[in-house]
Amino acid sequence: MLTELHVANFSLLRDLRVEFSSRLNVLTGQSGAGKTLVLDAISFALGKRPNRTIVGQYGDKCSVRAEFRFAPAIASRRDVPRKLTLTRTFNRSGRTSLTLNGKPIKVAALREVVAPLIDISSQFAQQEIFRPAFHREMLDAFGDSDFKRRTSSFRTRYSELKSSLKELALCRQAVRKGEDERNYLEFQVAELAEANVRVGEKEQVSTELYVQEHAEEILQRVSTAEHLLYEDEADSSSAFDLIARANNELSALVSDAHLEARLEGVIETLASLMKGITEANRLLGEIAEIQEHSADETEKLRRRLDELQLLEYKYRVSADELPQLLEDSRAKLEALSATPEQVEALQVRVDTLGEELLRAAVGLNRSRREIARKLEKVVHQYLERLGFPTAQFIVDINEPDEPGLDDLRENGLGHVEFIVCLNPGQPARPLAEVASGGEAARLLLAVKAALQRQLSYTTIVFDEIEAGVGGDAAFNVANVLRDLSLEHQVIAVTHLAAVAAAGDRHLDVVKTAETRKTSIVVNELSGAGRVRAIARMLGDAEHKEGRALAEEFLRRFA
C-alpha cells in the first residue's frame, strides 16, 4: 500500500508530507482547493508524463517521493520488495530523474512494476465503463486460475498465428515478385557488404580527413600552446612556471601564523591551477602525436568519404543507416528465395493453428458465459446497495454464428458487453445508451467492488467517483467504499459528507495565500475539526444543527 507521500514545489504544493491509512483514506476540501493535485503528484511519481507548469513558485524544480510497503505474502506474490520508494524530480528545462529504491529506472520499466499495484480512476474514469474492451477485461478477471491460464495460453498461440500469417504473406509476395527484384537485391547486398560501412564511420572519416588536411597548422598551434603552458627550461616564463613561482613565494609566508589562514585558500587555488595546467599539457601532447600530413592517407580518406556519400545518394539513406539497409535487404532476399512448396507448408501450418484456436476460442466463450452468470449476481447485489434495487445487469457475449480465421482476436471470438436496465419496464440496453454520469460512476464502483478479490491492485484511487450522486445513494457509495477497503487500500477524493464520514483517515486540503504566493496544505482531521469539515460539506458549519448532523454521520460509521 501507499504509506507516505512527500511533495516539494509541485504546482501549488510547496512542501507536503502525507501519511495514508491501509484502509479508506478520504481527501476533502472546497472546490478548487487542490485535492486533485495530490493525486496528480502520485501519478507523476508513478511515471505520468509531466509538463513545465508543474514546477511551482519556490524553485526551479519539483520532486515527489512515494513510499509503498507490502505484506510479505503480497510482496512474494507480486515479485516486488517489501518496501518501494519512488523518487522523481523535474525541472523547468524539462529534465527529469526517476529512482526506485535509490537506483535510476526508466519510466517504461517503472510502469511494469507499479501498474499491477495501483489503480487511479479520475473524475472522468467512469467513461471506461462504456468500453466493451473494459467489459471483457473485467469479466475475465472474475474467472478462476484455470480460466486465466487458458486465456494466457490462447494469447500466446494467437501471437504465433499472427507471426505465421505475416510469414505466409511475405512468402506469397516473394513468389509473385520473381526474378527482377531478386537480381536487384543480390546486387544491393553485394555492394553494401563490400562497402562494409560502420555506424559513425562517415563522421570519423570526415574528422580524420580534416586533421590530415590541416595537420601542419594544428601541430604548430598545439606546440605554441604547449610552450605557453608548460616549458621545462630554467628561464621559462610559461604559465606553469609563473604560477609555481607565485606559489613558492606565498608558501614561504605560511609559517607566519598571522598570514596562514588568509593565504591557505590562495595557495590551494594556485596548486589546483598547476595541476590543471599539467593535465592540459598532457592532453595537448596526445594531440601533438598525430601523424604529419600524408598525401597517400589524405587521398585514401577522400576516396572513402566519396564512396560513402555516393552510397547515401544512391540509396537515399544516411551513411549510419546503410548497415541496417544491408540487414533488411538480406532478409528480403532470403524471403524472396521462397518456393511454392514453402508457401503450401506455411498455409497448412496456419490452417492447423487457426482451427485449433477457433476451438479454443469457442471453449473460452463457453466458460465466459458461466463466469458471466456469477458476475451478474455479485454486481446486482452491489447495485442494490447503491440504490438500484430493481436494476438488471447482464453480461452479453456475442460471437459470429460461423466463425472463421478472420474473426479471431487476441482474446478469442466476438465481444463482451455489459447490458443494463435501471428502470422497471424498460428494455435492457448497452450502458452508454442508458446511464447518466452519476449512474455510470456507481456502476463502475459496483463492478470493481464485485471484483475486489480478483483485482491485483493493492491501492485503488478514486477522484470524485461519486460525481452526480446525492441523497441516500451517498451512504450506499460510502458503505461500498468501506467494503472495498477491506481488501484494498482506498484513497478517495470526495465532496460527499457521507463518504468523508466513512473514512478511516480524513485529510482536508486547504488553499492559502501569503506574500502574493499561493500554496496548498493538507491537514489530518479528527475530533472537532473533522466534525466542522463534515458540517461544512453539509452546508451548515456555523450552526449547532449542522455540527450535530455531522456527528450523526460519524456515528453511523463508527
Side-chain angles (χ1 to χ4, degrees):
M1 70 171 195
L2 176 62
T3 56
E4 185 176 320
L5 184 71
H6 187 197
V7 184
N9 200 34
F10 184 91
S11 188
L12 299 179
L13 303 175
R14 181 179 181 179
D15 186 12
L16 176 70
R17 182 176 175 272
V18 181
E19 294 183 353
F20 294 95
S21 160
S22 62
R23 300 281 294 279
L24 176 57
N25 302 267
V26 294
L27 276 77
T28 63
Q30 296 182 353
S31 294
K35 300 181 293 297
T36 300
L37 274 178
V38 178
L39 305 192
D40 289 342
I42 296 174
S43 297
F44 169 72
L46 296 176
K48 181 181 178 181
R49 185 174 182 178
N51 59 65
R52 289 177 175 83
T53 61
I54 67 170
V55 181
Q57 310 168 72
Y58 299 95
D60 294 326
K61 71 175 183 178
C62 64
S63 66
V64 178
R65 186 179 76 245
E67 295 187 3
F68 293 82
R69 291 183 185 274
F70 307 103
I74 293 175
S76 176
R77 187 165 65 249
R78 308 283 166 77
D79 192 26
V80 294
R82 288 194 60 189
K83 180 179 179 181
L84 285 181
T85 300
L86 311 179
T87 305
R88 192 177 186 189
T89 64
F90 183 74
N91 63 27
R92 295 190 189 279
S93 63
R95 294 182 63 84
T96 185
S97 67
L98 179 61
T99 64
L100 174 62
N101 287 350
K103 297 180 180 179
I105 187 172
K106 293 183 178 180
V107 170
L110 174 68
R111 286 175 180 159
E112 289 185 7
V113 174
V114 300
L117 301 176
I118 184 166
D119 174 45
I120 299 179
S121 296
S122 71
Q123 295 181 36
F124 307 103
Q126 60 259 34
Q127 299 301 317
E128 72 178 341
I129 196 71
F130 297 139
R131 295 188 302 106
F134 174 78
H135 302 171
R136 198 272 316 153
E137 180 183 344
M138 293 296 98
L139 176 64
D140 285 1
F142 205 64
D144 60 18
S145 58
D146 179 65
F147 175 79
K148 291 172 182 175
R149 179 191 57 76
R150 287 160 55 205
T151 56
S152 176
S153 175
F154 182 91
R155 283 192 291 270
T156 300
R157 298 291 281 164
Y158 180 76
S159 177
E160 294 174 11
L161 175 64
K162 296 289 286 184
S163 297
S164 296
L165 284 168
K166 184 177 180 180
E167 186 179 355
L168 176 60
L170 282 174
C171 283
R172 281 177 172 164
Q173 185 182 36
V175 171
R176 286 196 304 269
K177 285 187 175 180
E179 205 61 35
D180 289 344
E181 185 170 357
R182 186 177 294 109
N183 291 338
Y184 171 75
L185 285 171
E186 286 175 347
F187 170 79
Q188 186 182 64
V189 166
E191 183 176 47
L192 292 175
E194 183 179 0
N196 193 27
V197 182
R198 304 183 310 277
V199 174
E201 182 181 2
K202 183 181 178 183
E203 182 179 356
Q204 179 186 352
V205 170
S206 298
T207 301
E208 291 179 1
L209 180 59
Y210 179 87
V211 170
Q212 281 293 321
E213 292 177 339
H214 299 81
E216 186 175 343
E217 179 185 357
I218 292 171
L219 290 171
Q220 180 181 349
R221 291 184 180 277
V222 167
S223 177
T224 301
E226 283 184 300
H227 285 294
L228 290 172
L229 286 173
Y230 197 108
E231 186 174 355
D232 191 16
E233 295 180 5
D235 59 345
S236 171
S237 59
S238 69
F240 180 88
D241 289 306
L242 292 174
I243 293 172
R245 290 175 194 170
N247 188 53
N248 291 336
E249 293 293 331
L250 294 175
S251 296
L253 297 174
V254 170
S255 58
D256 188 329
H258 297 289
L259 297 176
E260 181 178 1
R262 295 187 179 186
L263 291 176
E264 185 178 0
V266 177
I267 292 173
E268 287 180 359
T269 301
L270 292 175
S272 177
L273 289 172
M274 293 165 63
K275 184 177 180 181
I277 290 174
T278 302
E279 175 62 13
N281 188 66
R282 184 188 68 79
L283 294 173
L284 286 173
E286 292 180 0
I287 297 174
E289 291 176 1
I290 62 173
Q291 296 180 354
E292 295 187 4
H293 175 71
S294 164
D296 290 343
E297 182 63 21
T298 300
E299 183 59 29
K300 179 181 176 182
L301 290 169
R302 281 178 181 157
R303 285 198 304 269
R304 183 56 171 171
L305 187 59
D306 288 343
E307 181 183 12
L308 295 175
Q309 290 172 337
L310 178 62
L311 290 171
E312 284 182 320
Y313 177 78
K314 184 174 184 178
Y315 293 113
R316 299 291 190 271
V317 297
S318 68
D320 286 346
E321 294 173 301
L322 288 170
Q324 185 59 51
L325 177 61
L326 174 59
E327 293 304 312
D328 292 345
S329 298
R330 280 173 171 159
K332 289 179 181 178
L333 185 59
E334 184 177 346
L336 283 175
S337 63
T339 65
E341 290 74 20
Q342 288 175 303
V343 171
E344 184 178 350
L346 277 171
Q347 184 65 63
V348 170
R349 187 167 78 187
V350 165
D351 291 342
T352 302
L353 187 53
E355 290 174 3
E356 175 189 327
L357 286 173
L358 281 170
R359 288 192 299 271
V362 170
L364 286 177
N365 278 355
R366 189 182 305 115
S367 297
R368 283 189 174 111
R369 291 186 180 91
E370 296 174 3
I371 297 167
R373 303 295 80 82
K374 298 176 184 177
L375 179 61
E376 288 169 355
K377 182 178 179 180
V378 179
V379 171
H380 181 70
Q381 292 171 353
Y382 278 103
L383 287 176
E384 283 185 321
R385 295 178 58 185
L386 290 169
F388 297 111
T390 60
Q392 296 181 52
F393 177 82
I394 302 167
V395 181
D396 182 48
I397 302 171
N398 193 1
E399 67 180 50
D401 292 333
E402 297 181 2
L405 200 62
D406 293 339
D407 297 311
L408 285 172
R409 297 293 181 269
E410 182 182 18
N411 294 294
L413 280 171
H415 66 276
V416 175
E417 188 165 18
F418 292 165
I419 307 295
V420 297
C421 173
L422 301 177
N423 301 301
Q426 297 294 319
R429 290 184 292 171
L431 278 175
E433 298 179 17
V434 297
S436 66
E439 290 168 337
R442 280 183 282 173
L443 284 164
L444 177 61
L445 182 55
V447 171
K448 289 195 173 182
L451 291 164
Q452 58 182 286
R453 295 184 184 277
Q454 285 78 23
L455 294 175
S456 66
Y457 312 117
T458 59
T459 301
I460 300 178
V461 181
F462 293 110
D463 187 0
E464 298 182 25
I465 187 67
E466 77 282 355
V469 175
D472 291 339
F475 285 100
N476 298 329
V477 169
N479 280 315
V480 172
L481 286 173
R482 290 261 290 194
D483 282 357
L484 195 57
S485 72
L486 296 176
E487 296 288 339
H488 309 269
Q489 179 190 46
V490 176
I491 301 172
V493 172
T494 184
H495 283 291
L496 290 181
V499 173
D504 295 286
R505 179 160 294 175
H506 187 158
L507 303 167
D508 195 52
V509 182
V510 180
K511 184 182 291 184
T512 63
E514 56 182 34
T515 61
R516 298 183 180 180
K517 290 185 177 181
T518 303
S519 61
I520 290 170
V521 295
V522 177
N523 301 310
E524 182 180 351
L525 300 182
S526 60
R530 190 175 186 190
V531 171
R532 282 194 300 272
I534 294 174
R536 181 194 69 214
M537 299 173 76
L538 291 167
D540 192 12
E542 302 302 324
H543 298 92
K544 184 186 298 183
E545 292 79 2
R547 292 193 291 274
L549 184 57
E551 290 173 347
E552 175 60 27
F553 275 38
L554 286 167
R555 279 194 293 272
R556 290 184 65 166
F557 294 103

